[in-house]
Amino acid sequence: MENIFRKIKETIDSGQDVMLNMITASSGSTPRGAGAKMLVFADGSIEGTIGGGRAEYLCKLRSLEALKDKLSFTAAYDMSQYDVEGVGMICGGNVKVCFKYFSKEDAPLVNHVLELIENYEEAWLITRVGENSVDMGTYSRNEGVSFIDGVSAEEAEGWTGNMYSFESGGAMYFVELLTRKGTVYIFGAGHVSKELAPLLSHLDFRVVIYEERRELAEAFPEGNTVIIGDFNDIDKNIEMKPEDYAVIMTSGHSGDFDVLCQVLRKDLTYVGVIGSRTKIAITRERLIEAGISKAKIDTLHTPIGLAIKAVTPAEIAVSVAAELILTRAESEKGEKQK
């Protein structure tokens, strides 16, 4: 979401217009589901994808025409009409795509969306789609409803969810989170962390690196949030919440153990620690001696990451990121079902 809106801002700030294509509903077998987004620029280039193949190509052509006419609208595509072998599509499904025209006049909305994301507000993007209109605005619990008429804060609060498509008052609405819940706290600023932090940021995780050695913290690449603090007293510098993730990969066994003793006493979405099975077995015994319950220890993800036989720091980062994606998806699915 953030990357899409940053690209929109960059484009309209330069005086160019851009078309946002967004899937608002899908059924059957489709390459991408509701929420998938693609930008189409006046020169024919694109950013993002709504599934590839013939349908995406047709959306691109319609976007280029709509850019000339400065139009927003909604269209439906029957995927079953396309030949799988000829265009590589998965047939049998249907998608609805909204086409939202953005120009420099939309700068206040785009800047507001990015401000909510940067401030990590609990906020949602609200899109109202009609056959020949697409209206967009936001709702946050701090500021209420902005940039979209005819929607009250009470209504918007009732719509909040990770992704929610529904009809209200004869109009179709699509509501999605601007910021995903939870922060990934990476304890340790070593080689794997340097590979993992940018990867997680690209995957829409909010990332904070926590390191006690100043030389390591200050050497971490710019553009990352880095906190320098004692591994023995992390609560002095950060306040971890149930939706947060703890990824422990300090420069030594002692640091890992110190952090584990604290985070395993909290209720977090994920706790994982890097290390060999031998190290982990020893650590388990020490944690029990420190008063951590066996039930809590059993929730620990270790060895960290999915089992893809990762060896290099970059490969380990991919395995950890994959495990966090899985954890996030399962967590969000559980929330929707509640």
Side-chain angles (χ1 to χ4, degrees), residues 222-245:
E222 293 184 5
N224 295 277
T225 301
V226 182
I227 295 175
I228 302 174
D230 194 332
F231 285 142
N232 279 302
D233 190 8
I234 63 174
D235 289 340
K236 182 178 179 181
N237 298 287
I238 58 175
E239 181 182 352
M240 301 187 74
K241 301 176 181 179
E243 60 265 27
D244 292 337
Y245 307 71

mmCIF file of all heavy atoms in Angstrom, residues 222-245:
data_model
loop_
_atom_site.group_PDB
_atom_site.id
_atom_site.type_symbol
_atom_site.label_atom_id
_atom_site.label_comp_id
_atom_site.label_asym_id
_atom_site.label_seq_id
_atom_site.Cartn_x
_atom_site.Cartn_y
_atom_site.Cartn_z
ATOM 1 N N GLU A 222 21.165 3.240 6.590
ATOM 2 C CA GLU A 222 20.222 4.328 6.818
ATOM 3 C C GLU A 222 18.845 3.951 6.291
ATOM 4 O O GLU A 222 18.693 3.098 5.431
ATOM 5 C CB GLU A 222 20.714 5.606 6.124
ATOM 6 C CG GLU A 222 21.978 6.175 6.721
ATOM 7 C CD GLU A 222 22.377 7.485 6.078
ATOM 8 O OE1 GLU A 222 21.597 7.981 5.229
ATOM 9 O OE2 GLU A 222 23.442 8.013 6.398
ATOM 10 N N GLY A 223 17.827 4.625 6.826
ATOM 11 C CA GLY A 223 16.465 4.343 6.404
ATOM 12 C C GLY A 223 15.761 3.350 7.298
ATOM 13 O O GLY A 223 14.582 3.042 7.084
ATOM 14 N N ASN A 224 16.462 2.828 8.297
ATOM 15 C CA ASN A 224 15.883 1.880 9.250
ATOM 16 C C ASN A 224 15.768 2.526 10.630
ATOM 17 O O ASN A 224 16.572 3.380 10.991
ATOM 18 C CB ASN A 224 16.749 0.623 9.365
ATOM 19 C CG ASN A 224 16.802 -0.165 8.073
ATOM 20 O OD1 ASN A 224 15.928 -0.947 7.761
ATOM 21 N ND2 ASN A 224 17.863 0.062 7.297
ATOM 22 N N THR A 225 14.764 2.095 11.390
ATOM 23 C CA THR A 225 14.618 2.563 12.766
ATOM 24 C C THR A 225 15.462 1.685 13.671
ATOM 25 O O THR A 225 15.225 0.476 13.782
ATOM 26 C CB THR A 225 13.148 2.496 13.215
ATOM 27 O OG1 THR A 225 12.349 3.306 12.344
ATOM 28 C CG2 THR A 225 13.005 2.986 14.649
ATOM 29 N N VAL A 226 16.479 2.281 14.291
ATOM 30 C CA VAL A 226 17.403 1.533 15.140
ATOM 31 C C VAL A 226 17.393 2.128 16.544
ATOM 32 O O VAL A 226 17.534 3.350 16.709
ATOM 33 C CB VAL A 226 18.837 1.557 14.574
ATOM 34 C CG1 VAL A 226 19.767 0.725 15.457
ATOM 35 C CG2 VAL A 226 18.861 1.049 13.139
ATOM 36 N N ILE A 227 17.213 1.282 17.547
ATOM 37 C CA ILE A 227 17.223 1.705 18.951
ATOM 38 C C ILE A 227 18.442 1.106 19.627
ATOM 39 O O ILE A 227 18.707 -0.095 19.499
ATOM 40 C CB ILE A 227 15.943 1.253 19.673
ATOM 41 C CG1 ILE A 227 14.726 1.969 19.072
ATOM 42 C CG2 ILE A 227 16.040 1.513 21.170
ATOM 43 C CD1 ILE A 227 13.397 1.492 19.633
ATOM 44 N N ILE A 228 19.183 1.931 20.320
ATOM 45 C CA ILE A 228 20.335 1.457 21.080
ATOM 46 C C ILE A 228 19.916 1.309 22.543
ATOM 47 O O ILE A 228 19.468 2.271 23.175
ATOM 48 C CB ILE A 228 21.518 2.434 20.967
ATOM 49 C CG1 ILE A 228 21.906 2.621 19.499
ATOM 50 C CG2 ILE A 228 22.708 1.929 21.775
ATOM 51 C CD1 ILE A 228 22.980 3.681 19.278
ATOM 52 N N GLY A 229 20.026 0.098 23.070
ATOM 53 C CA GLY A 229 19.616 -0.133 24.447
ATOM 54 C C GLY A 229 20.165 -1.445 24.976
ATOM 55 O O GLY A 229 20.638 -2.295 24.226
ATOM 56 N N ASP A 230 20.072 -1.608 26.266
ATOM 57 C CA ASP A 230 20.587 -2.793 26.944
ATOM 58 C C ASP A 230 19.669 -3.987 26.678
ATOM 59 O O ASP A 230 18.458 -3.904 26.829
ATOM 60 C CB ASP A 230 20.649 -2.508 28.448
ATOM 61 C CG ASP A 230 21.473 -3.529 29.207
ATOM 62 O OD1 ASP A 230 21.555 -4.687 28.753
ATOM 63 O OD2 ASP A 230 22.020 -3.169 30.263
ATOM 64 N N PHE A 231 20.249 -5.131 26.293
ATOM 65 C CA PHE A 231 19.458 -6.336 26.091
ATOM 66 C C PHE A 231 18.865 -6.849 27.394
ATOM 67 O O PHE A 231 17.897 -7.615 27.385
ATOM 68 C CB PHE A 231 20.315 -7.446 25.459
ATOM 69 C CG PHE A 231 20.588 -7.244 23.997
ATOM 70 C CD1 PHE A 231 21.824 -7.580 23.463
ATOM 71 C CD2 PHE A 231 19.621 -6.736 23.143
ATOM 72 C CE1 PHE A 231 22.088 -7.408 22.112
ATOM 73 C CE2 PHE A 231 19.869 -6.559 21.793
ATOM 74 C CZ PHE A 231 21.109 -6.896 21.273
ATOM 75 N N ASN A 232 19.429 -6.439 28.524
ATOM 76 C CA ASN A 232 18.921 -6.881 29.823
ATOM 77 C C ASN A 232 17.678 -6.126 30.261
ATOM 78 O O ASN A 232 17.010 -6.531 31.219
ATOM 79 C CB ASN A 232 20.002 -6.704 30.901
ATOM 80 C CG ASN A 232 20.995 -7.842 30.897
ATOM 81 O OD1 ASN A 232 20.608 -8.994 31.050
ATOM 82 N ND2 ASN A 232 22.261 -7.527 30.701
ATOM 83 N N ASP A 233 17.362 -5.017 29.600
ATOM 84 C CA ASP A 233 16.227 -4.193 30.024
ATOM 85 C C ASP A 233 15.564 -3.572 28.804
ATOM 86 O O ASP A 233 15.584 -2.364 28.615
ATOM 87 C CB ASP A 233 16.709 -3.108 30.993
ATOM 88 C CG ASP A 233 15.561 -2.378 31.668
ATOM 89 O OD1 ASP A 233 14.401 -2.812 31.506
ATOM 90 O OD2 ASP A 233 15.818 -1.364 32.351
ATOM 91 N N ILE A 234 14.929 -4.403 27.966
ATOM 92 C CA ILE A 234 14.342 -3.890 26.730
ATOM 93 C C ILE A 234 13.111 -3.031 27.008
ATOM 94 O O ILE A 234 12.795 -2.125 26.228
ATOM 95 C CB ILE A 234 13.986 -5.034 25.762
ATOM 96 C CG1 ILE A 234 12.929 -5.962 26.360
ATOM 97 C CG2 ILE A 234 15.230 -5.827 25.378
ATOM 98 C CD1 ILE A 234 12.446 -7.027 25.388
ATOM 99 N N ASP A 235 12.413 -3.287 28.137
ATOM 100 C CA ASP A 235 11.207 -2.514 28.441
ATOM 101 C C ASP A 235 11.515 -1.048 28.714
ATOM 102 O O ASP A 235 10.611 -0.208 28.668
ATOM 103 C CB ASP A 235 10.490 -3.101 29.657
ATOM 104 C CG ASP A 235 9.833 -4.436 29.348
ATOM 105 O OD1 ASP A 235 9.614 -4.717 28.152
ATOM 106 O OD2 ASP A 235 9.540 -5.203 30.291
ATOM 107 N N LYS A 236 12.749 -0.745 28.988
ATOM 108 C CA LYS A 236 13.143 0.645 29.223
ATOM 109 C C LYS A 236 13.051 1.467 27.942
ATOM 110 O O LYS A 236 12.857 2.686 27.985
ATOM 111 C CB LYS A 236 14.572 0.684 29.782
ATOM 112 C CG LYS A 236 15.066 2.085 30.122
ATOM 113 C CD LYS A 236 16.471 2.029 30.708
ATOM 114 C CE LYS A 236 16.982 3.423 31.040
ATOM 115 N NZ LYS A 236 18.356 3.378 31.600
ATOM 116 N N ASN A 237 13.175 0.793 26.798
ATOM 117 C CA ASN A 237 13.233 1.512 25.520
ATOM 118 C C ASN A 237 12.083 1.216 24.568
ATOM 119 O O ASN A 237 11.803 2.012 23.671
ATOM 120 C CB ASN A 237 14.547 1.177 24.810
ATOM 121 C CG ASN A 237 15.753 1.614 25.601
ATOM 122 O OD1 ASN A 237 16.054 2.800 25.687
ATOM 123 N ND2 ASN A 237 16.460 0.658 26.202
ATOM 124 N N ILE A 238 11.413 0.082 24.737
ATOM 125 C CA ILE A 238 10.311 -0.266 23.841
ATOM 126 C C ILE A 238 9.151 -0.841 24.635
ATOM 127 O O ILE A 238 9.336 -1.421 25.706
ATOM 128 C CB ILE A 238 10.742 -1.288 22.756
ATOM 129 C CG1 ILE A 238 11.282 -2.564 23.403
ATOM 130 C CG2 ILE A 238 11.758 -0.679 21.806
ATOM 131 C CD1 ILE A 238 11.615 -3.661 22.395
ATOM 132 N N GLU A 239 7.948 -0.661 24.100
ATOM 133 C CA GLU A 239 6.750 -1.234 24.708
ATOM 134 C C GLU A 239 6.144 -2.199 23.698
ATOM 135 O O GLU A 239 5.530 -1.791 22.717
ATOM 136 C CB GLU A 239 5.740 -0.142 25.053
ATOM 137 C CG GLU A 239 4.471 -0.667 25.702
ATOM 138 C CD GLU A 239 3.463 0.423 25.990
ATOM 139 O OE1 GLU A 239 3.798 1.608 25.825
ATOM 140 O OE2 GLU A 239 2.321 0.079 26.379
ATOM 141 N N MET A 240 6.338 -3.485 23.930
ATOM 142 C CA MET A 240 5.853 -4.491 22.996
ATOM 143 C C MET A 240 4.395 -4.828 23.274
ATOM 144 O O MET A 240 3.973 -4.913 24.431
ATOM 145 C CB MET A 240 6.724 -5.746 23.069
ATOM 146 C CG MET A 240 8.194 -5.480 22.757
ATOM 147 S SD MET A 240 9.190 -7.001 22.657
ATOM 148 C CE MET A 240 8.646 -7.639 21.061
ATOM 149 N N LYS A 241 3.632 -5.009 22.168
ATOM 150 C CA LYS A 241 2.202 -5.285 22.258
ATOM 151 C C LYS A 241 1.899 -6.695 21.753
ATOM 152 O O LYS A 241 2.731 -7.299 21.057
ATOM 153 C CB LYS A 241 1.430 -4.243 21.451
ATOM 154 C CG LYS A 241 1.680 -2.813 21.930
ATOM 155 C CD LYS A 241 0.973 -1.808 21.044
ATOM 156 C CE LYS A 241 1.241 -0.385 21.515
ATOM 157 N NZ LYS A 241 0.578 0.620 20.640
ATOM 158 N N PRO A 242 0.721 -7.228 22.056
ATOM 159 C CA PRO A 242 0.387 -8.605 21.650
ATOM 160 C C PRO A 242 0.501 -8.846 20.151
ATOM 161 O O PRO A 242 0.778 -9.963 19.719
ATOM 162 C CB PRO A 242 -1.061 -8.764 22.131
ATOM 163 C CG PRO A 242 -1.165 -7.843 23.294
ATOM 164 C CD PRO A 242 -0.325 -6.653 22.935
ATOM 165 N N GLU A 243 0.293 -7.810 19.326
ATOM 166 C CA GLU A 243 0.362 -7.997 17.876
ATOM 167 C C GLU A 243 1.789 -7.929 17.334
ATOM 168 O O GLU A 243 2.008 -8.085 16.127
ATOM 169 C CB GLU A 243 -0.504 -6.953 17.161
ATOM 170 C CG GLU A 243 -0.113 -5.521 17.427
ATOM 171 C CD GLU A 243 -0.915 -4.880 18.548
ATOM 172 O OE1 GLU A 243 -1.383 -5.616 19.445
ATOM 173 O OE2 GLU A 243 -1.081 -3.643 18.509
ATOM 174 N N ASP A 244 2.775 -7.747 18.204
ATOM 175 C CA ASP A 244 4.162 -7.587 17.762
ATOM 176 C C ASP A 244 4.885 -8.923 17.589
ATOM 177 O O ASP A 244 4.437 -9.969 18.076
ATOM 178 C CB ASP A 244 4.939 -6.718 18.754
ATOM 179 C CG ASP A 244 4.451 -5.274 18.755
ATOM 180 O OD1 ASP A 244 3.860 -4.854 17.741
ATOM 181 O OD2 ASP A 244 4.654 -4.582 19.767
ATOM 182 N N TYR A 245 6.040 -8.839 16.904
ATOM 183 C CA TYR A 245 6.877 -9.999 16.610
ATOM 184 C C TYR A 245 8.275 -9.746 17.186
ATOM 185 O O TYR A 245 8.799 -8.636 17.072
ATOM 186 C CB TYR A 245 7.038 -10.202 15.102
ATOM 187 C CG TYR A 245 5.758 -10.274 14.299
ATOM 188 C CD1 TYR A 245 4.964 -9.144 14.093
ATOM 189 C CD2 TYR A 245 5.350 -11.468 13.714
ATOM 190 C CE1 TYR A 245 3.801 -9.199 13.333
ATOM 191 C CE2 TYR A 245 4.185 -11.540 12.943
ATOM 192 C CZ TYR A 245 3.424 -10.392 12.764
ATOM 193 O OH TYR A 245 2.278 -10.449 11.999
#
